[in-house]
């Protein structure tokens, strides 16, 4: 299928951004000048700009002009979370992606985490241990714990990807199931094992601890997937 003029304009503008013609934070030429440079009319140029604005590549500032965004991974990938929320049927696939990425990120974090970052992880672990019966608070603290660990790896793209595939609703359901079964201590012990490995600056142990933790969540999901789907249909 032949590409439309709008698709061609999108590709050309992206290439301008990639090549440094329009670097991050720069202002694009006015619409008529941009259309002339692209060799097309203003209408497909305008549509291309709108599409790239939705993709967070461009930012249209009313009365000021169109700018290239910071192009930070967290910005470009922020739509991933919205897509994940529509992928209930693929929850195990998402968990498999987490199993591939999070242990590696945790191992990397063990070699890079700062003393300040380690204290933050310790504080979050303490807060989780104090909130053993509060599912909503455990959900928030759990997400913060893992995000702090992954962020310590120093890879913004990896952090953004794992943020995107981490469903707050799914975390809440897993914690609720953990609390209901009275095995909260097992999951908390796994979080402590991750912290201990980070404190010991041991990437191999940190990777193994994170893998065990994600594997526990995945096994719980496989056992309760039918139930979760039923709840999602209600």
């Amino acid at each position: 299928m032949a590409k439309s003029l709008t698709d061609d304009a999108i590709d050309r503008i992206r290439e301008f951004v990639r090549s440094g013609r329009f670097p991050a934070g720069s202002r694009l030429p006015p619409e008529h000048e941009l259309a002339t440079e692209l060799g097309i009319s203003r209408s497909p140029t305008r549509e291309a700009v709108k599409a790239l604005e939705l993709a967070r590549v461009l930012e249209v500032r009313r009365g000021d002009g169109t700018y290239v965004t910071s192009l930070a991974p967290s910005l470009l990938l922020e739509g991933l979370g919205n897509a994940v929320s529509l992928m209930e049927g693929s929850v195990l696939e998402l968990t498999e992606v987490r199993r591939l990425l999070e242990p590696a990120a945790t191992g990397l974090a063990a070699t890079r985490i700062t003393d300040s970052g380690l204290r933050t992880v310790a504080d979050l672990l303490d807060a989780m241990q104090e909130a053993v019966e509060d599912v909503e608070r455990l959900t928030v603290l759990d997400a913060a714990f893992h995000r702090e660990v992954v962020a310590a790896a120093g890879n913004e793209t990896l952090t953004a990807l794992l943020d995107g595939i981490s469903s707050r609703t799914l975390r809440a359901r897993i914690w609720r199931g953990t609390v209901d079964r009275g095995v909260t201590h097992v999951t908390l012990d796994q979080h402590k094992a991750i912290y201990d490995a980070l404190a010991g600056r041991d990437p191999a142990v940190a990777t193994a601890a994170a893998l065990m933790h994600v594997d526990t969540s995945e096994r719980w999901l496989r056992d309760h997937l039918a139930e979760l789907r039923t709840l999602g249909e209600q």
Side-chain angles (χ1 to χ4, degrees), residues 16-27:
F16 284 153
V17 172
R18 278 194 295 265
S19 68
R21 167 75 175 80
F22 300 145
S26 65
R27 186 177 186 274

Side-chain angles (χ1 to χ4, degrees), residues 16-226:
F16 284 153
V17 172
R18 278 194 295 265
S19 68
R21 167 75 175 80
F22 300 145
S26 65
R27 186 177 186 274
L28 269 62
E31 185 181 279
H32 67 281
E33 292 182 19
L34 181 60
T36 299
E37 184 167 353
L38 293 172
I40 58 177
S41 66
R42 294 176 67 169
S43 179
T45 299
R46 188 178 305 118
E47 291 304 312
V49 168
K50 287 180 180 178
L52 290 171
E53 183 181 21
L54 289 173
R56 311 295 279 168
V57 174
L58 300 178
E59 177 187 4
V60 177
R61 303 176 187 173
R62 305 303 173 191
D64 186 16
T66 299
Y67 290 79
V68 180
T69 66
S70 67
L71 302 177
S74 57
L75 181 66
L76 297 177
L77 293 171
E78 70 177 14
L80 181 60
N82 292 328
V84 166
S85 69
L86 300 174
M87 296 171 62
E88 284 292 328
S90 304
V91 64
L92 283 176
E93 290 187 9
L94 293 169
T95 303
E96 287 176 356
V97 174
R98 183 187 173 200
R99 175 155 49 85
L100 290 170
L101 296 179
E102 191 165 308
T106 305
L108 190 58
T111 68
R112 297 180 175 178
I113 194 166
T114 64
D115 290 342
S116 174
L118 197 58
R119 284 194 297 272
T120 299
V121 174
D123 289 343
L124 288 166
L125 180 60
D126 288 343
M128 290 173 70
Q129 291 170 334
E130 292 172 0
V132 289
E133 300 299 330
D134 188 337
V135 171
E136 291 305 314
R137 181 156 174 74
L138 279 171
T139 300
V140 172
L141 292 169
D142 178 58
F145 178 96
H146 289 288
R147 192 182 195 288
E148 187 68 28
V149 171
V150 173
N155 186 313
E156 190 178 352
T157 300
L158 191 55
T159 300
L161 284 170
L162 283 166
D163 268 354
I165 67 173
S166 295
S167 164
R168 188 177 187 281
T169 301
L170 187 57
R171 283 182 185 275
R173 289 176 178 177
I174 291 175
W175 271 113
R176 186 168 289 110
T178 300
V179 171
D180 288 347
R181 287 179 294 146
V183 292
T184 309
H185 65 282
V186 174
T187 304
L188 290 176
D189 285 347
Q190 291 176 348
H191 284 78
K192 187 176 186 305
I194 292 171
Y195 167 76
D196 288 343
L198 294 174
R201 315 289 179 175
D202 191 324
V205 174
T207 299
L211 180 58
M212 178 172 291
H213 176 55
V214 177
D215 183 67
T216 298
S217 296
E218 184 175 347
R219 283 188 283 109
W220 185 91
L221 276 175
R222 290 186 184 280
D223 290 342
H224 296 82
L225 190 58

